[in-house]
Amino acid sequence: MDHRRKRKLTFFTIGLLFLLSGVEYAVILPTIWRYLQTLDAAPYFLGLALSAFSLSGLLSGPLFGHWSDRTGTTKKIILFANLFEIIGNFLYFMGFSKWLLLSSRLVAGIGTGAGSAIFGFLTRSTSPDDRATVFAAVMACRQAGLLIGPAFNIFLRLCDFHLGPFVVNKYTAPGLFMCLLWILLQLAVVFMYWDLPPLERGRSKVSSTNQSREEEDEQQHVEEDNDEEKPLMGSQEALESYGSVVASNTPTYHSPAASNAALNHISPPASPVPPDSHETSSPFKNFSISREFLREEVVVLLAAQFITLFNQTALETMVTPLTQKYFGYGELENSIMYCLCGVEVIAGFLFVRWLSRRVAERVVLAIGLTICNISGVWCLIFLAKPLGGFPWQLAEFIIGVFLQVLGLPFVAVAQVSLFSKVTAEKTQGFSQGVRRSVGGLATILGPLWAGGLTDNMYIMMGVMMALLALLTMMLGFSYDRLVAPATEEQVDDSDSCS
């Protein structure tokens, strides 16, 4: 099988993984509240169950990312992480007690840590110009899962039979269903996923340096006689495409092995570093956590990750009790609501994918944050204490949810794309793990915050709005720094390599 086909199948499998993560969220969330009620769980248990899933993902993300950076592989990590998803969802299906259900979400959450390794792989496999587009497509796959998930709930709610000692009903069926889907994904990963060779990292950058290399071709053609006397890599662009050889003046294609041989042949003998030493050296050599993450632009992006996910999960936790209280919604109505939200989010990601090709990511982030602020004000005014009769309350609720969902794609794509650019590429797995852990902390605290304040909506909404105002000020002060690293920093990295 050729390399291009392997690459397509690998990316397709990544899309399937994120699709299933969205399906799992969508089939679990609408029913877990009633499920806990059948197990005589207190209201705060809803926040505990949702937070447990994020807690284990928070801890496993950096570990899986570090594993990926060290080994340069992701297939084994995905297969290992999916085992926790399979076991966790089967425990959710068993559901003998509220504590077993809580443990099931804790175990299943470990599997989400593989996402940090996958984002690190995607960062190393894409050029900076295409990265936002690729991330938007991957995130859209998860949102497609959120759209499809409620449709599965429509027939899962009809389940009512016994499977040996286990009861299969509308509450336990989602666990069994997701367990089977994750087993099928394991087979897809085994047969359709490849750890692409390290050369892929170099190829991802070639497209951004074509023009400079064509100029080098012309110069080499003119000065062909003394070609070997000149430095092989004389420009920053050539250094960035490390591992590839400067094109010769003949159209003959050279294989990667031949390219490395040519490098060894014509490189100046005074160079103490062999061409492939960068590939074999540890990615964490001279790595400093404080130097990497305690920078203004990184702190702002991590704050955006935390605050937006905190607000989102707090509102999601509050939605099902709110719809039950004011509108009498059950599992079917909640599933339809989440299905409609999924349509809106997918449309938003498609629009952001188009927009990111035309404007900078920081502009997309500013647009998303503006929408989030409008949504926060609306929810503080109209959802904290709904006004009017049933039609007005329903309209106020729909507008609030619409605005909240609308801003999500803008912030999500912009901050993850910017984060991949302002942090080191060689340790992207670990860095993405840290970013996802910050998000995991938000998804832990958000449900806990909302679950304990369902009767004090003004306090809950007020704190959320204050966090958005703080993030807006941080973005305003640091707007100029939210760009890809300056050329000087790249030169410093190149000097340290040579």
Side-chain angles (χ1 to χ4, degrees):
M1 186 179 298
D2 63 350
H3 176 80
R4 178 172 297 184
R5 184 171 178 82
K6 287 183 178 180
R7 179 178 173 85
K8 288 183 178 179
L9 289 176
T10 299
F11 276 59
F12 176 74
T13 307
I14 291 175
L16 284 180
L17 190 148
F18 280 90
L19 179 75
L20 288 194
S21 68
V23 170
E24 178 179 4
Y25 189 85
V27 299
I28 296 291
L29 189 63
T31 57
I32 190 173
W33 171 240
R34 293 289 184 92
Y35 193 3
L36 286 168
Q37 288 179 326
T38 63
L39 299 174
D40 299 323
Y44 68 84
F45 237 81
L46 174 62
L48 288 178
L50 296 178
S51 299
F53 186 79
S54 301
L55 174 62
S56 52
L58 179 154
L59 299 175
S60 64
L63 296 179
F64 286 145
H66 187 272
W67 183 5
S68 174
D69 290 332
R70 285 282 187 183
T71 62
T73 61
T74 53
K75 184 173 183 176
K76 293 184 294 185
I77 298 173
I78 295 173
L79 291 172
F80 180 69
N82 285 350
L83 293 177
F84 291 96
E85 290 279 9
I86 294 171
I87 296 172
N89 279 283
F90 188 78
L91 293 176
Y92 186 90
F93 159 66
M94 293 170 60
F96 294 134
S97 70
K98 60 184 179 181
W99 294 107
L100 182 62
L101 191 146
L102 179 64
S103 300
S104 72
R105 300 313 293 158
L106 192 68
V107 172
I110 298 176
T112 63
S116 59
I118 294 174
F119 273 108
F121 164 77
L122 292 175
T123 298
R124 292 186 288 264
S125 302
T126 55
S127 64
D129 293 338
D130 297 333
R131 199 164 296 160
T133 302
V134 173
F135 286 164
V138 171
M139 292 179 179
C141 289
R142 184 178 187 276
Q143 299 306 319
L146 292 174
L147 174 61
I148 299 171
F152 290 128
N153 255 344
I154 292 176
F155 75 82
L156 289 176
R157 62 191 293 270
L158 302 178
C159 295
D160 188 12
F161 59 92
H162 284 75
L163 188 65
F166 306 112
V167 177
V168 183
N169 55 33
K170 60 184 177 181
Y171 302 125
T172 62
L176 178 61
F177 178 69
M178 288 310 307
C179 180
L180 296 175
L181 286 184
W182 284 112
I183 291 175
L184 292 177
L185 182 67
Q186 285 287 77
L187 298 177
V189 174
V190 170
F191 295 108
M192 298 171 56
Y193 190 98
W194 284 268
D195 285 318
L196 300 176
L199 183 63
E200 194 68 30
R201 189 184 312 169
R203 285 183 178 177
S204 67
K205 300 177 183 178
V206 171
S207 60
S208 64
T209 62
N210 281 340
Q211 183 178 358
S212 62
R213 292 178 63 179
E214 287 175 2
E215 294 174 356
E216 292 173 6
D217 289 348
E218 289 186 10
Q219 184 178 1
Q220 288 180 347
H221 181 71
V222 173
E223 302 176 0
E224 184 178 6
D225 293 335
N226 55 355
D227 181 54
E228 293 185 359
E229 299 176 3
K230 295 189 176 185
L232 179 62
M233 292 183 177
S235 65
Q236 176 62 26
E237 289 78 14
L239 283 170
E240 288 181 346
S241 56
Y242 191 83
S244 60
V245 65
V246 178
S248 67
N249 59 339
T250 62
T252 304
Y253 172 77
H254 295 280
S255 66
S259 299
N260 288 334
L263 278 171
N264 291 330
H265 176 67
I266 62 177
S267 295
S271 177
V273 182
D276 58 349
S277 64
H278 177 74
E279 299 293 331
T280 59
S281 62
S282 171
F284 290 93
K285 185 178 181 180
N286 299 326
F287 178 79
S288 171
I289 293 180
S290 60
R291 185 171 63 247
E292 183 72 8
F293 300 119
L294 296 183
R295 290 181 285 125
E296 182 178 334
E297 59 273 20
V298 177
V299 171
V300 171
L301 294 174
L302 291 177
Q305 169 88 343
F306 177 86
I307 293 174
T308 53
L309 283 179
F310 177 88
N311 288 357
Q312 176 193 347
T313 53
L315 288 173
E316 287 174 351
T317 305
M318 171 268 298
V319 159
T320 45
L322 193 66
T323 56
Q324 183 182 15
K325 177 180 180 181
Y326 289 101
F327 311 124
Y329 282 2
E331 294 84 7
L332 178 61
E333 293 83 358
N334 285 330
S335 296
I336 294 174
M337 176 185 66
Y338 283 110
C339 184
L340 294 175
C341 290
V343 173
E344 180 188 356
V345 172
I346 290 177
F349 274 112
L350 293 177
F351 177 74
V352 170
R353 184 181 182 185
W354 171 85
L355 184 64
S356 62
R357 296 175 177 174
R358 290 159 175 81
V359 299
E361 285 96 338
R362 58 181 179 176
V363 177
V364 178
L365 181 60
I367 294 173
L369 190 55
T370 301
I371 297 174
C372 289
N373 275 280
I374 296 173
S375 170
V377 172
W378 181 275
C379 292
L380 183 61
I381 296 174
F382 295 105
L383 292 191
K385 187 176 182 180
L387 306 175
F390 180 84
W392 283 105
Q393 291 179 357
L394 184 61
E396 293 162 1
F397 175 78
I398 291 174
I399 293 174
V401 171
F402 174 81
L403 290 174
Q404 175 66 26
V405 173
L406 181 62
L408 176 63
F410 293 87
V411 179
V413 173
Q415 60 91 7
V416 68
S417 180
L418 279 171
F419 187 83
S420 70
K421 293 180 180 180
V422 301
T423 53
E425 182 178 307
K426 61 183 179 180
T427 56
Q428 272 298 300
F430 179 75
S431 297
Q432 292 291 341
V434 171
R435 181 190 65 82
R436 289 170 64 87
S437 292
V438 171
L441 180 62
T443 56
I444 292 171
L445 298 179
L448 291 176
W449 175 257
L453 291 171
T454 52
D455 296 327
N456 298 278
M457 298 291 287
Y458 280 112
I459 297 177
M460 185 184 80
M461 297 285 188
V463 170
M464 293 163 56
M465 191 63 228
L467 290 175
L468 279 175
L470 174 63
L471 178 58
T472 303
M473 288 188 293
M474 293 175 67
L475 178 65
F477 287 122
S478 304
Y479 187 80
D480 293 336
R481 298 182 63 90
L482 297 177
V483 292
T487 306
E488 289 78 10
E489 296 178 5
Q490 298 174 359
V491 172
D492 292 341
D493 293 341
S494 303
D495 293 340
S496 64
C497 289
S498 56

